[in-house]
Amino acid sequence: MSSSGIPRGGPALAEAEAEELLRCICFKTGPPRTVGVELEWLVHELRDPRLPVRPPRLAAALDTVRSLPLVSSLTFEPGGQLELSSRPAGSLMECLDSLAADLRAVRSALGPLGLTLSGYGVDPWHSPRGRVLHEPRYDAMEAALDRTGPAGRAMMCDSASVQICLDAGLEEPGPLGYHRRWQVAHLLGAVLVAAFANSPLHGGRRTGWRSTRQALWTDLDPRRTLAPLPDGEPRAEYAAHVLDTPVLCVRADEGPWDVPEGLTFRDWLRSGLPRPADADDLRYHMTTLFPPVRPRGHLELRMVDAQPGADGWMVPVAVTTAVFDDPAAAETVYRAVKPLAERAGFAPAPRNPLWLAAARDGLTDPELHATALTVFATALEALPRIGASEEVRRAVAAFHERYVVPGSCPADDLEVVTS
């Protein structure tokens, strides 16, 4: 390993070896057992979130949080957003309880400093936030994403999400099979975007989207944020997608990282330039792809905006886990979302008509509203079967009554408050 911490000296990777490695590591199959969550939060002034938090003050506060004895993994996004990533948990409640305890500790540390965690898909008031993390990865990412406009910087510094991680599923067909779960994730994902949209404002202005965060992902890069083609075998399609996506950067031991333009990983393997690529380069390249559903052995569902309130994040986690991991619920929801495939068409998410409508219109879209009603009713029936607490079931029921039944979403509340 080099002094910079970047592994070097691995054997050059052949194209066939890369394809086989991707097939092995992206979908690890088995009975669905574990749940994980990654929570991103904006850090705001407690007394008035419209006031900017100056970088030195933010940096000092983040240092305070780093000293906490947390169970979850603590990281920070380029704009200073705080991220807590749970350990893989053996049940929904184990995951929720552990992460909730860590969040209480973080809030308790930030409160005396006059700061708070805010749950919005993008910062409603500040655009753009300045980047507070200056590392080679983020320097390279900014340079690469700037080529296609301002969405990259906004994503890096102004956005926050709830990311739900579930096992890929069984090898065989059926409601818990990985092929079915992959298909459902890309249809149900649009319903989750619509139901939990929570970013209608950016920089103090209405954007015309209920999920501006999702709109940013749509505009971010010609290929980096896309799902693979909707038809076909998931392992083969995703392996091809990874190899045919341009490399964001080529890491170096010293100095700035190279940011090539238009060099796909497949091209890099074939040419061996600017240096031969190895297996670690491939693994790193995979972390620079941001599809709405990212297979990392498990499935990482990345489409949900950060949610309002101290515990609002629990609702999308509980709903998604229930309809994926309870076999009866999974079958019901598969039948409910399958008709959405016709509207999605052959364009990949998040740029197809279904996903664009979800981000723009939320549950005011009649088809998405009707599907969400079935999804939430099914989740409410399944939550007791997967061991959800009474408190979690009440939270999901309250969200269902407040938003899903009338065809609304948290974004609509924010529009009313700020009008």
Side-chain angles (χ1 to χ4, degrees), residues 84-336:
L84 285 175
S85 302
S86 73
R87 293 179 178 176
S91 70
L92 171 67
M93 290 313 304
E94 179 187 338
C95 179
L96 297 184
D97 289 343
S98 175
L99 201 46
D102 283 346
L103 275 170
R104 287 192 295 269
V106 171
R107 290 192 176 99
S108 295
L110 291 176
L113 303 176
L115 298 174
T116 188
L117 300 179
S118 297
Y120 302 102
V122 297
D123 195 313
W125 303 291
H126 310 121
S127 173
R129 286 181 164 220
R131 186 157 59 95
V132 300
L133 295 185
H134 295 278
E135 301 172 0
R137 172 183 172 90
Y138 297 123
D139 294 344
M141 185 179 294
E142 184 174 274
L145 298 182
D146 276 351
R147 291 170 178 154
T148 52
R153 293 195 182 202
M155 176 277 292
M156 292 171 66
C157 297
D158 298 343
S159 68
S161 66
V162 177
Q163 299 177 20
I164 304 152
C165 301
L166 300 168
D167 287 326
L170 298 168
E171 193 71 31
E172 60 262 25
L176 300 184
Y178 83 96
H179 197 296
R180 170 80 66 85
R181 285 159 75 88
W182 179 249
Q183 181 183 11
V184 167
H186 288 89
L187 297 174
L188 177 64
V191 181
L192 298 177
V193 169
F196 296 108
N198 187 37
S199 50
L201 304 173
H202 192 208
R205 299 180 179 180
R206 291 185 175 87
T207 65
W209 299 83
R210 282 174 168 80
S211 178
T212 301
R213 175 182 168 274
Q214 192 60 52
L216 291 173
W217 283 112
T218 301
D219 290 342
L220 189 64
D221 182 277
R223 188 170 177 86
R224 192 168 309 281
T225 62
L226 296 184
L229 295 174
D231 294 333
E233 202 284 320
R235 285 192 176 100
E237 293 292 348
Y238 197 73
H241 178 69
V242 170
L243 294 180
D244 292 329
T245 298
V247 171
L248 187 141
C249 59
V250 177
R251 297 173 297 162
D253 292 330
E254 297 179 355
W257 294 357
D258 187 23
V259 185
E261 187 166 7
L263 176 72
T264 69
F265 202 90
R266 195 184 299 277
D267 294 337
W268 188 9
L269 291 172
R270 290 176 176 177
S271 69
L273 298 173
R275 59 167 176 79
D278 61 21
D280 189 68
D281 288 315
L282 178 58
R283 292 186 181 94
Y284 188 85
H285 172 61
M286 291 171 62
T287 72
T288 70
L289 273 62
F290 310 112
V293 183
R294 184 160 64 179
R296 302 177 61 186
H298 58 272
L299 301 182
E300 182 183 84
L301 281 73
R302 304 171 47 85
M303 70 287 297
V304 177
D305 282 358
Q307 294 297 289
D311 299 323
W313 60 274
M314 292 186 180
V315 175
V317 178
V319 169
T320 307
T321 304
V323 302
F324 265 80
D325 286 0
D326 179 82
E331 184 62 36
T332 299
V333 166
Y334 170 67
R335 293 197 299 268

Side-chain angles (χ1 to χ4, degrees), residues 328-394:
E331 184 62 36
T332 299
V333 166
Y334 170 67
R335 293 197 299 268
V337 302
K338 191 175 181 181
L340 298 176
E342 181 176 355
R343 186 168 176 191
F346 294 102
R351 294 205 181 118
N352 64 47
L354 175 67
W355 280 69
L356 292 173
R360 183 182 59 247
D361 303 326
L363 294 186
T364 64
D365 181 275
E367 189 174 16
L368 287 165
H369 183 212
T371 307
L373 288 169
T374 299
V375 168
F376 273 76
T378 303
L380 284 166
E381 292 178 359
L383 282 170
R385 297 196 294 267
I386 65 169
S389 68
E390 179 63 30
E391 180 183 6
V392 169
R393 301 201 302 269
R394 284 198 303 267

